[in-house]
Amino acid sequence: MAATLPSNILPSPSSPDWLNKADNAWQLVAATLVGLQSVPGLIILYGGAVKKKWAVNSAFMSLYAFACVFFCWIVWGYRMSFGDKLAPFWGKAAVALDEKYLLDPAFSGMFPNATMVYFQGVFAAITLILIAGALLGRMNFYAWMAFVPLWLTFSYTFTAFSIWSPNGFLFKLGIIDYSGGYVIHLSSGVAGFTAAYWVGPRLNKDRERFPPNNILLMLAGAGLLWMGWTGFNGGDPYSVGLDSSLAVLNTHACTATSLLTWVILDIIFFRKPSVIGAVQGMITGLVCITPAAGVVQGWAAILMGMLSGSIPWFTMMVVHKRSKLLQKVDDTMAVLHTHAIAGTLGGVLSGLFAVPELNFLFYGSYNKYVGLFYGLKMGMSKTGFRQIWIQLVGIFFVVTLNVISTSLICLFIRMFIPLRMSEEDMEIGDEAAHGEEAYAIWGQGDKLENASSKYASSMYDDVEGATNKKKRSGQVEMM
């Protein structure tokens, strides 16, 4: 039979018969697209979205996290997340470095472990970078250096193994998390908010006035984030089949709808369309569709976009401003709303809209994964209600795990390193933290004074008492 195959697809030592070259090529491209979401995507988004004095520090937190996570991932993190079972929620630590292991087939898909380690590694990295969004503008960089490997090891690996590994207890129950609504977004949103509580707030004047130093640069980062999601959701079927195509289309349909919904609400209530608000709506749409991208129909993706553009908008612009408890925590980029709330919403809607036939394409099971609406239609209501119950169990597990693990990690770190920068250093910003400043482009490296920021930007001003100008500037803090 091999003699009848074209020479370019004949098995060889570098292309064994179990390897699908097209799937392997797509998986490497998808992984790189996800990597570009972080480097440079979130680096320049954070760098542009914060006050000028924090541009370097915010960008560097992202760059450091990407490098640190990747190192830890290949040395011990990957196999704790996808390796041999140590507990129902955790794998055994082991390296993913030796030739024999890396060139063997991955646990799923028709490509080697080396490709899977890379693909899952960029997912782990972006999760830590999203957490950083809640901590910008005051966290001690040395504490962040310790936080990243500890949280990856004692939180992320728990969630990834439980939900994505074939040996994990939630995977075996039948939870639907197509591409990380739970593992990445709900985790990062809850962990970021929890860490922000322990680190403490920014200076009062920074909370009251925190204008972005470069909105256009921020938009460039947001664009990389959106387009990179093609690999984020399109790569999770581990093949270039039908499910991958559907996931990509649903991703962009939901995101566009969410963005438009957010902008319309801004116009109705604040009388002006905000580009920063549009970016917020974009992010909530990307997050909401992630757990469902390849297992729902296009009409469901549109409906999810409407909900992801409105419910997080309401929790951010109304509920947060009226809640003393929520206002107490300084979540710089509002990851609680754009990731935790939107991720929870996506997880629940996945349990409602998931199509059995599409679940079969992704999970290989027709009767186990049934969205409630289809269960009621097909006379499988018990299976449909079971799916919703599993989705809620997953939410409870991820929230509880991240509140406990993140709190313990922060308490451990502060025994040795202050979590928060000193008041004096926070007054200065980048130069105090790193001895460097952004935009040192004048003369012989003299710094430009910021003469353009003349408006307030506290996201959580009182809705009823604030002026329209304050309400509009309140959308600066995002994600």
Side-chain angles (χ1 to χ4, degrees), residues 116-435:
M116 184 66 83
V117 173
Y118 175 40
F119 182 75
Q120 295 295 344
V122 290
F123 274 77
I126 198 172
T127 308
L128 267 298
I129 295 172
L130 293 174
I131 293 173
L135 307 170
L136 302 181
R138 81 279 199 183
M139 188 171 189
N140 184 343
F141 194 82
Y142 298 108
W144 176 244
M145 291 178 71
F147 180 89
V148 171
L150 289 172
W151 192 88
L152 174 75
T153 304
F154 297 106
S155 185
Y156 184 85
T157 58
F158 286 27
T159 312
F161 186 88
S162 300
I163 294 176
W164 280 345
S165 170
N167 296 316
F169 81 99
L170 286 171
F171 183 94
K172 291 180 178 179
L173 275 179
I175 192 170
I176 296 174
D177 187 15
Y178 182 89
S179 193
Y182 289 86
V183 177
I184 295 172
H185 300 294
L186 180 55
S187 290
S188 62
V190 174
F193 192 78
T194 303
Y197 169 80
W198 291 110
V199 171
R202 289 165 289 171
L203 296 175
N204 286 334
K205 66 178 183 179
D206 280 350
R207 292 193 73 178
E208 294 169 0
R209 185 176 181 277
F210 205 70
N213 70 86
N214 194 323
I215 290 180
L216 294 181
L217 190 66
M218 181 196 72
L219 282 175
L224 284 168
L225 197 65
W226 186 347
M227 291 300 102
W229 230 278
T230 298
F232 199 103
N233 288 344
D236 262 300
Y238 303 144
S239 74
V240 286
L242 299 174
D243 213 25
S244 181
S245 297
L246 179 65
V248 170
L249 184 61
N250 281 344
T251 296
H252 295 293
C254 179
T255 303
T257 304
S258 182
L259 186 154
L260 295 174
T261 302
W262 196 293
V263 170
I264 290 170
L265 288 172
D266 277 350
I267 292 172
I268 292 172
F269 290 94
F270 301 134
R271 301 292 185 266
K272 285 185 180 181
S274 166
V275 65
I276 299 174
V279 172
Q280 292 169 327
M282 177 203 86
I283 294 168
T284 56
L286 291 167
V287 171
C288 184
I289 194 61
T290 291
V295 297
V296 298
Q297 297 191 46
W299 64 264
I302 294 292
L303 182 55
M304 290 177 73
M306 293 178 181
L307 294 172
S308 66
S310 55
I311 293 177
W313 182 94
F314 179 76
T315 64
M316 182 186 298
M317 306 307 297
V318 179
V319 175
H320 198 120
K321 296 176 182 181
R322 295 179 179 178
S323 170
K324 292 182 179 179
L325 176 63
L326 293 179
Q327 288 185 41
K328 183 179 179 181
V329 180
D330 182 15
D331 177 3
T332 309
M333 296 300 221
V335 297
L336 174 70
H337 302 281
T338 55
H339 292 276
I341 300 296
T344 298
L345 180 64
V348 173
L349 293 176
S350 300
L352 295 176
F353 297 138
V355 183
E357 293 85 352
L358 298 176
N359 280 319
F360 175 76
L361 292 179
F362 186 64
Y363 290 107
S365 174
Y366 184 83
N367 295 322
K368 187 177 181 180
Y369 302 87
V370 178
L372 177 58
F373 290 159
Y374 289 90
L376 296 174
K377 179 181 178 182
M378 299 164 59
M380 301 173 63
S381 58
K382 184 177 180 180
T383 306
F385 280 111
R386 179 182 181 274
Q387 190 66 60
I388 289 293
W389 174 77
I390 294 171
Q391 299 300 108
L392 295 176
V393 169
I395 292 168
F396 176 79
F397 171 75
V398 174
V399 171
T400 303
L401 168 67
N402 280 280
V403 169
I404 295 174
S405 63
T406 305
S407 295
L408 291 175
I409 289 167
C410 288
L411 290 172
F412 175 77
I413 292 173
R414 79 175 188 181
M415 292 171 61
F416 308 97
I417 309 170
L419 292 173
R420 190 168 176 262
M421 294 174 65
S422 67
E423 299 279 328
E424 294 78 10
D425 285 350
M426 285 193 289
E427 287 282 354
I428 300 169
D430 288 338
E431 193 168 7
H434 307 286

